Amino acid sequence: MNLATAARRIPSWSLPLVLAVVVALLPVLGVGSSVLRQVVLVCILALLVSGLNLSLGYAGELALGQAAIYAGGAYVSGYLGAHGQTDLLVQLVVACGVALVLGLITGIPGLRLNKWALAMVSFFLVLLVPDILDLFEEETGGRLGLTGIEPVTLFGLPLDREAFAVAVVVVTALWIVVFRNLVTSRHGTAFLVLRESPVLASSTGISVFRMKLSAYAIGALPAGIAGTLFANLDQYLSPESFGFALAVSILAASILGGSASVYGALIGAVILQLGPLQSTEFEQYALIVYGLLLLVCGVLLSSGIAGIVGRLRKKVERRWLPREQAPPYEGELLPDLDGARLSVEGLSKSFGGLHALDGVTLDARPGEVTALIGPNGSGKTTMLNMICGYYRADAGEIRLDDTVSPRAPFQVARAGVARTFQTPSIPSGITVAEAVRAGRYATEHTSFLSAVLRLPAYRRARARDLDEAARVLTLVGLQDLAHEDATSLPLGTRRLLEVARSLISRPRVLLFDEVASGLDEDEVDRLGELIRRLRDAGATIVLVEHNFRLVLALADRIHVLARGSILATGSPAEIENHPDVLREYLGTPVASAAATPGGGRDDD
Amino acid sequence: MLSVKDLVTGYGDMRVVREVSFDVLPGEVTALLGRNGAGKTTTLRAIAGLNKITSGSVRLDGADIGPLPPHRRIRAGLGVVQENKRVFKRHTVEANLLLGGYSTGVRRKQLRESLEEVYELFPALRGRTSTPAGQLSGGQQQMLAIGQAIMGRPKLLMLDEPSAGLAPAIVLEVMDSVEKLKRSGLGILLVEQAVEAAVGVADRVAVLEIGRVVMSGPAGAIDDLEIIKEAYFGRVPGTDAGLTTGAPD
Amino acid sequence: MSAIWAGLALGAIYGLVALGYNIVFVSSGVFNFAHAQLLMLGTFVAFFGTVTLGLPPWLVFVLAAVVVALVAVIEERTAIRFVRSTEGLLVTTLGFATLLDGATQVIWGGEPLQVPFFGPSEVVSVAGGQVFPVELVLIGAMVLLTIVFVLVSRFSMLGIAMLAVSEDREAALMRGINVRAYAVGAFAVAGAVAGALGPLVGPKTFAVATLGTALALKGFVAMAIGGFGSAPGALIGGLAVGLIEALAGRYLGQSFATLMVFVALLAVLLFKPTGLFGHARERVV
């Protein structure tokens, strides 16, 4: 075994684990109480930041209410502590429950609103903290603060300052493990898909609604945990600890450390806690520092420190630790596909006064390539979007075999309709293989819990993800690029990646939207070959294509759309010589039309 | 007047147009033909400054307009009618037209004269000056878009698929106005899918295929539309018949 | 009635923030979180000009307008121009806002500073309620600015061009409009207006560094109620927020004032997301 392979075998979590153990041992080694306090504060901030990272960095949702959820967790724990319930675990569980509720409440508007509105609503919560504390003055102490919190215990044993610090480090480390296991799992990729585009997410069968709610809920948990820890640090709470300065510092730490990373939260928390947050005398300067951090990082350093480290690591790996070429895929490359008959009947759709589709009837059968062609603006894209469930029909029906196609886009995808996009839609920050595996997210359901705990069910699903990804990547000829950054690929390759992603779920209907545009001749030939093989395997293939040659060469049947209606349907030979089609493509013959004023009437 | 030489452009890393050259002369229509995806619109966008020019040059009356930002190209005498009738739908017809002349820096009073010219060219717009553009029919919106461009007093007018989605009778009307504008001395670059409509008014023709000019010359020389049809539909892979006309000149 | 007057005056300030959001939003499609901080900066400059330098009122207005316009242009150049994504813009405009919070605090300290009003300061009785003259002036200024904004956007070529830019940037470019210059211009104008309002807002709110964020959020509520991009909407929305806050504070208790504004925000966003005067945008997949 050579050195490179050995180095690769070292798990990426070893260094953080060693660090966590060292920090957890600090109190035992007898460091001063001021150092311990800093350690606890870093942990608390890291928890808050990692919650934000999940929603902002992974799910792309601007939910900024962490400071308010933190306050909720802290006051509930403080209230329990002041009323005799001092057990740390009990407090943690209750705080998590409160956080979950708060996270959902602030998140719900986000299901309907644009990003700005969600950001403002969740930010507004921070403004409300002092007022709400005032309303419950008896329980919270109002503006004067909550006092009389009893010292914390664990299983009935009191925790002294050192033991408490150890507990804080352990709790934080455990959360980081949970967070890491979640975002490195298939769920993490699904979040990134959601961040890239809700349209893409639903086209792979991900329920955008469920996924967003999960992000708000899970992202709120660490804020609740942090609240419990904070309440027991000084046994005193005051509204001032939960203001805008804190909210902004959480965001600054997230951006600085890198929002879309596991350890970025720690990096950001350490820097801010040991830097500007260090001393209250510098509070006014702290705001300037946060402001500058947000400004500079927002403009120049979009992936934060973790992003820089990640890029460096990749460079090092590429230079000194070359990856062994994966062995070629052994199994059957293209098993039979169970194609479904897609039939569209009398479909109409208007936008405002414009009839985009007007009573369109067409069908696509298993084992055939059905092409949909037509000039610009003839309604091809609208047709595709309606099949996928993005628009609701004014009239008419879409069926898969004999059942009416479901309404929501993610349900359509789960019913077996897979598609590619005119402009390839690929999340940033993941590899080719991960991007392809994302297409299988809904095919095989695994729970969040099984991913976090790496249960056997999750491991089996992941093994199948890997296997299937290897299969479809080999099928489209991208197996050697599996570990490349997906968004850095040239356009033609990104299209093939989308084809692979659409194939991995073993779909019943495949919709290819302009899949050949931007490919070079060689790639078009290979793609044509692949489409023929898919057809022979039994798939139902719908080709929306500008490339007339490719259509003539591949299609079994062609539907020609013009101004929202079907102009002609037939075999390639029939369509090629169809007079109406020629006229639609080439225009009204000016000479003959000029001879008969108001001519071309026969066109309608 | 407009001279495009060895133009290379595209979107991001996708090169759509490769070394395209053609000229537009004053009082002439040059039609840029080709099927969907051949690179016609991309060429036009590059000339207008909406796409980055990777290499090659675009000259208007001898001056290289390649380095200018889009709005400066318009002020330098380029009139653009984009595809899909992109008028400002919330503004009235008259506000749309006045906006077209806004960049000329001319006072409103003088703009009135230009307005009159537009209404003469498109009488259908005259009665609807205070109608929001969004309420016009497709044909009227297309006329308004052309009118807007004319209000900028261009030397060269570029039209992107003015016939798309219009009823045949309206297409005739639009092409008729193109003919009139040409006679007034304007140079016109006409991008069209509708070959026969375009060839009817064109003096010169350039046919694009996968981002290259595969055929160009005076429109009169193209007596056989079959040649163009072939450029549109091309050869079918698997058959041997290639393009009869050929290589980039 | 006194509570209503106080609410309307407060609402006028929220409306002015919303109007500032709108000017920038319409011309460059950006939601500038820091606009409230620009208004806040205006109050500080007003304090500086009036109290520290002892300048005559007209000069204070000019000074505040120029200084804040300059800061707004700096914001456009640093926090806006190079940022594309919504998340990115939120981060950078929030960053700029925080920077202004911190900078004003460092320069002028954390204590609220009283900005003297240049006009009469005795309470007057109007329509059965007690009201400060400056409050009436604020309401008047808000109404006046709304009218000016509507007139400019309807009838001047500049306004027509601005709306054209907001509808279709590329088509506007193709009509020879310098879209980028409009974006900078919008920031400068919004900044100048915010600055010039400083001497009016300061006497009501005091000049204090914690003013910005609360103003920003309530100004956002005003815009949400009125509808994104609508000037009359900003006026109505602002006054509505001010009234809700004042009346809830008066009758339910001070702790309910902001809470009820939040409830109003949620209600509007959930039941009428386009606001009262907003345009629904066509959904595009």
Side-chain angles (χ1 to χ4, degrees):
Chain A
M1 184 162 44
N2 66 20
L3 206 62
T5 329
R8 273 200 178 277
R9 288 266 166 92
I10 302 172
S12 59
W13 43 261
S14 344
L15 184 64
L17 181 70
V18 171
L19 265 175
V21 170
V22 170
V23 175
L25 288 178
L26 277 182
V28 187
L29 298 173
V31 295
S33 64
S34 67
V35 175
L36 280 189
R37 192 182 157 76
Q38 290 301 328
V39 168
V40 170
L41 288 172
V42 166
C43 285
I44 288 174
L45 185 58
L47 283 168
L48 290 169
V49 175
S50 89
L52 177 63
N53 283 356
L54 187 73
S55 56
L56 177 61
Y58 283 90
E61 292 286 303
L62 292 164
L64 302 177
Q66 270 72 27
I69 297 167
Y70 176 48
Y75 271 92
V76 160
S77 304
Y79 178 81
L80 290 177
H83 291 77
Q85 184 49 267
T86 55
D87 193 279
L88 184 62
L89 288 180
V90 173
Q91 290 187 5
L92 281 174
V93 169
V94 175
C96 280
V98 169
L100 213 59
V101 171
L102 285 175
L104 287 177
I105 289 176
T106 47
I108 282 168
L111 295 170
R112 287 194 53 174
L113 304 179
N114 65 30
K115 294 190 171 188
W116 287 118
L118 174 63
M120 296 309 264
V121 168
S122 55
F123 218 46
F124 206 117
L125 271 193
V126 183
L127 188 68
L128 290 177
V129 168
D131 286 339
I132 292 180
L133 293 179
D134 244 14
L135 285 178
F136 298 97
E137 200 174 351
E138 209 137 287
E139 291 82 8
T140 65
R143 279 164 214 262
L144 293 174
L146 179 62
T147 51
I149 303 171
E150 307 265 319
V152 66
T153 60
L154 187 63
F155 303 124
L157 302 170
L159 289 178
D160 61 9
R161 200 165 275 280
E162 284 74 26
F164 178 66
V166 174
V168 168
V169 174
V170 169
V171 167
T172 309
L174 282 177
W175 166 257
I176 300 274
V177 170
V178 168
F179 185 74
R180 177 202 170 269
N181 281 358
L182 185 66
V183 300
T184 57
S185 77
R186 58 212 308 264
H187 298 291
T189 315
F191 278 126
L192 290 176
V193 169
L194 175 66
R195 183 183 72 173
E196 174 67 22
S197 141
V199 172
L200 171 63
S202 48
S203 84
T204 57
I206 295 171
S207 160
V208 171
F209 180 87
R210 213 186 98 100
M211 213 60 193
K212 279 186 177 181
L213 269 191
S214 309
Y216 304 141
I218 301 174
L221 291 180
I225 296 173
T228 302
L229 302 181
F230 184 67
N232 291 304
L233 176 64
D234 296 331
Q235 285 141 40
Y236 168 72
L237 292 171
S238 100
E240 275 125 57
S241 309
F242 308 98
F244 282 109
L246 175 72
V248 173
S249 71
I250 295 170
L251 184 61
S254 165
I255 303 289
L256 177 65
S259 300
S261 69
V262 176
Y263 304 112
L266 275 173
I267 300 172
V270 167
I271 294 175
L272 281 197
Q273 187 60 48
L274 304 184
L277 281 170
Q278 182 67 261
S279 146
T280 44
E281 289 147 51
F282 289 105
E283 201 181 298
Q284 46 190 8
Y285 296 103
L287 282 178
I288 296 184
V289 172
Y290 300 152
L292 282 175
L293 273 179
L294 289 176
L295 201 56
V296 173
C297 295
V299 174
L300 301 175
L301 193 72
S302 54
S303 54
I305 293 174
I308 297 176
V309 172
R311 278 196 291 275
L312 281 178
R313 207 181 71 188
K314 254 184 206 154
K315 265 192 190 151
V316 169
E317 283 184 359
R318 207 171 278 241
R319 179 80 179 71
W320 284 294
L321 304 172
R323 198 177 270 276
E324 282 167 40
Q325 224 31 276
Y329 184 76
E330 294 288 335
E332 190 184 0
L333 267 185
L334 191 54
D336 282 350
L337 288 164
D338 172 30
R341 181 192 174 107
L342 170 77
S343 43
V344 173
E345 254 182 59
L347 199 68
S348 296
K349 178 72 190 175
S350 304
F351 297 102
L354 179 82
H355 294 287
L357 290 178
D358 198 1
V360 173
T361 298
L362 54 83
D363 69 341
R365 298 175 203 143
E368 282 188 8
V369 174
T370 307
L372 192 58
I373 64 170
N376 273 344
S378 57
K380 299 184 301 269
T381 305
T382 308
M383 185 75 235
L384 215 58
N385 283 330
M386 297 202 60
I387 294 174
C388 292
Y390 294 113
Y391 301 135
R392 196 144 295 174
D394 297 336
E397 204 168 63
I398 300 168
R399 287 168 171 277
L400 285 175
D401 279 342
D402 289 322
T403 50
V404 177
S405 181
R407 280 200 158 169
F410 81 94
Q411 289 168 329
V412 176
R414 288 182 185 187
V417 178
R419 71 173 290 181
T420 67
F421 291 90
Q422 224 172 73
T423 314
S425 186
I426 293 166
S428 54
I430 58 177
T431 65
V432 170
E434 284 170 319
V436 168
R437 294 204 297 264
R440 230 183 146 264
Y441 180 72
T443 314
E444 185 168 0
H445 177 76
T446 52
S447 69
F448 285 107
L449 195 66
S450 74
V452 165
L453 299 178
R454 295 287 194 256
L455 295 179
Y458 170 79
R459 288 174 188 275
R460 280 196 298 273
R462 178 164 168 86
R464 277 190 290 268
D465 280 353
L466 290 171
D467 193 53
E468 285 288 280
R471 178 178 71 86
V472 293
L473 280 171
T474 309
L475 197 57
V476 301
L478 296 183
Q479 67 275 26
D480 293 341
L481 298 174
H483 301 288
E484 297 294 317
D485 179 32
T487 45
S488 68
L489 300 176
L491 180 82
T493 318
R494 292 206 298 270
R495 284 205 189 285
L496 292 176
L497 189 161
E498 285 217 318
V499 172
R501 181 174 63 201
S502 70
L503 290 176
I504 196 171
S505 59
R506 305 201 179 195
R508 309 188 66 201
V509 176
L510 275 162
L511 306 175
F512 290 142
D513 191 2
E514 304 285 351
V515 72
S517 82
L519 301 192
D520 63 33
E521 299 268 326
D522 191 41
E523 288 170 321
V524 171
D525 283 346
R526 273 197 291 148
L527 181 73
E529 183 50 37
L530 174 64
I531 291 176
R532 284 200 191 93
R533 286 175 66 190
L534 289 169
R535 175 190 62 192
D536 295 341
T540 304
I541 298 171
V542 177
L543 210 55
V544 172
E545 197 42 76
H546 273 154
N547 190 331
F548 206 76
R549 291 180 190 183
L550 188 71
V551 168
L552 291 179
L554 286 177
D556 298 293
R557 243 151 29 101
I558 302 176
H559 298 283
V560 185
L561 267 180
R563 289 179 233 118
S565 310
I566 294 284
L567 183 74
T569 296
S571 69
E574 286 162 357
I575 294 299
E576 197 180 3
N577 298 307
H578 199 295
D580 287 347
V581 176
L582 287 181
R583 182 162 31 194
E584 193 57 45
Y585 263 74
L586 302 177
T588 320
V590 170
S592 60
T596 50
R601 187 113 330 167
D602 54 341
D603 209 20
D604 301 34
Chain B
M1 145 153 315
L2 180 77
S3 170
V4 175
K5 200 151 171 44
D6 298 332
L7 181 71
V8 179
T9 179
Y11 304 91
D13 53 2
M14 175 166 153
R15 278 195 184 177
V16 179
V17 173
R18 308 158 213 222
E19 297 182 8
V20 160
S21 303
F22 59 85
D23 291 303
V24 185
L25 300 180
E28 282 196 8
V29 173
T30 297
L32 204 54
L33 307 174
R35 65 171 160 80
N36 260 342
K40 301 175 308 249
T41 297
T42 314
T43 304
L44 190 143
R45 289 176 61 87
I47 297 171
L50 298 174
N51 279 0
K52 220 180 139 195
I53 295 176
T54 312
S55 66
S57 71
V58 177
R59 292 176 175 276
L60 187 62
D61 275 351
D64 188 2
I65 59 169
L68 298 181
H71 67 276
R72 294 273 302 279
R73 299 187 195 198
I74 304 299
R75 293 178 193 183
L78 213 55
V80 183
V81 178
Q82 290 181 274
E83 59 186 336
N84 297 332
K85 314 167 198 90
R86 279 165 80 169
V87 293
F88 302 111
K89 302 203 165 47
R90 304 208 305 250
H91 284 319
T92 63
V93 167
E94 185 149 315
N96 266 287
L97 291 174
L98 289 174
L99 265 179
Y102 186 42
S103 67
T104 54
V106 173
R107 300 227 156 257
R108 256 198 207 203
K109 216 175 227 171
Q110 283 160 285
L111 283 181
R112 295 268 156 213
E113 291 167 24
S114 307
L115 275 183
E116 200 45 46
E117 287 169 32
V118 173
Y119 293 144
E120 233 154 77
L121 190 63
F122 300 115
L125 295 180
R126 193 188 290 275
R128 317 209 57 178
T129 52
S130 48
T131 310
Q135 292 175 16
L136 298 178
S137 71
Q140 287 168 341
Q141 286 189 12
Q142 187 65 66
M143 294 172 193
L144 180 59
I146 298 175
Q148 271 194 304
I150 297 170
M151 290 294 289
R153 302 224 162 252
K155 300 172 193 161
L156 179 105
L157 186 62
M158 301 200 289
L159 300 153
D160 195 355
E161 303 220 6
S163 76
L166 299 186
I170 308 292
V171 173
L172 278 183
E173 208 173 318
V174 169
M175 287 305 165
D176 192 44
S177 70
V178 172
E179 180 83 43
K180 280 184 190 153
L181 288 169
K182 167 176 114 176
R183 266 189 255 123
S184 74
L186 216 56
I188 295 174
L189 178 62
L190 179 62
V191 163
E192 263 299 345
Q193 251 195 94
V195 178
E196 300 191 34
V199 170
V201 292
D203 301 280
R204 290 155 184 277
V205 169
V207 180
L208 279 185
E209 162 108 52
I210 325 175
R212 293 182 196 279
V213 175
V214 292
M215 187 170 67
S216 70
I222 302 182
D223 43 8
D224 186 5
L225 282 170
E226 284 303 315
I227 296 173
I228 298 179
K229 278 181 195 165
E230 215 157 318
Y232 269 56
F233 296 125
R235 102 195 132 82
V236 180
T239 69
D240 283 326
L243 283 171
T244 47
T245 12
D249 45 351
Chain C
M1 194 60 208
S2 301
I4 291 181
W5 279 121
L8 288 177
L10 204 57
I13 298 176
Y14 299 150
L16 289 167
V17 174
L19 191 68
Y21 286 150
N22 274 334
I23 295 176
V24 172
F25 184 76
V26 163
S27 55
S28 57
V30 173
F31 175 69
N32 178 21
F33 187 89
H35 187 77
Q37 268 74 11
L38 294 177
L39 195 64
M40 176 189 84
L41 182 64
T43 65
F44 277 109
V45 178
F47 172 84
F48 181 69
T50 314
V51 177
T52 314
L53 298 180
L55 297 176
W58 69 269
L59 204 53
V60 175
F61 276 101
V62 172
L63 180 73
V66 169
V67 168
V68 179
L70 211 63
V71 172
V73 169
I74 292 173
E75 186 193 356
E76 201 277 339
R77 290 283 162 127
T78 54
I80 309 286
R81 180 161 289 193
F82 306 104
V83 186
R84 288 279 163 273
S85 68
T86 311
E87 293 96 335
L89 282 170
L90 180 98
V91 168
T92 52
T93 55
L94 185 59
F96 199 84
T98 310
L99 193 59
L100 285 180
D101 280 346
T104 48
Q105 209 170 355
V106 167
I107 298 172
W108 283 288
E111 291 304 310
L113 302 172
Q114 189 170 7
V115 183
F117 182 46
F118 58 85
S121 55
E122 296 81 30
V123 178
V124 292
S125 186
V126 182
Q130 304 288 306
V131 57
F132 285 101
V134 68
E135 295 183 315
L136 292 176
V137 173
L138 266 175
I139 298 168
M142 173 73 220
V143 174
L144 192 72
L145 274 173
T146 306
I147 293 172
V148 168
F149 188 80
V150 170
L151 288 181
V152 166
S153 60
R154 287 260 165 86
F155 298 108
S156 78
M157 280 313 290
L158 184 78
I160 291 176
M162 206 164 106
L163 278 179
V165 171
S166 88
E167 186 177 329
D168 188 338
R169 289 170 71 83
E170 198 175 280
L173 265 179
M174 289 298 99
R175 295 295 158 247
I177 295 167
N178 187 350
V179 169
R180 186 163 269 190
Y182 269 62
V184 181
F187 268 87
V189 169
V193 171
L197 288 167
L200 301 180
V201 173
K204 168 90 179 157
T205 62
F206 295 94
V208 54
T210 50
L211 184 65
T213 309
L215 268 189
L217 289 167
K218 288 173 187 169
F220 176 82
V221 181
M223 186 162 81
I225 291 177
F228 292 76
S230 160
L235 173 70
I236 306 284
L239 295 180
V241 173
L243 280 179
I244 292 171
E245 189 175 335
L247 295 179
R250 172 88 171 67
Y251 295 106
L252 297 175
Q254 208 47 51
S255 306
F256 281 96
T258 308
L259 192 60
M260 292 319 286
V261 174
F262 183 68
V263 171
L265 171 65
L266 284 187
V268 166
L269 289 178
L270 291 178
F271 299 113
K272 190 138 181 24
T274 55
L276 297 176
F277 299 93
H279 297 277
R281 297 225 166 175
E282 296 249 346
R283 285 197 145 215
V284 185
V285 170

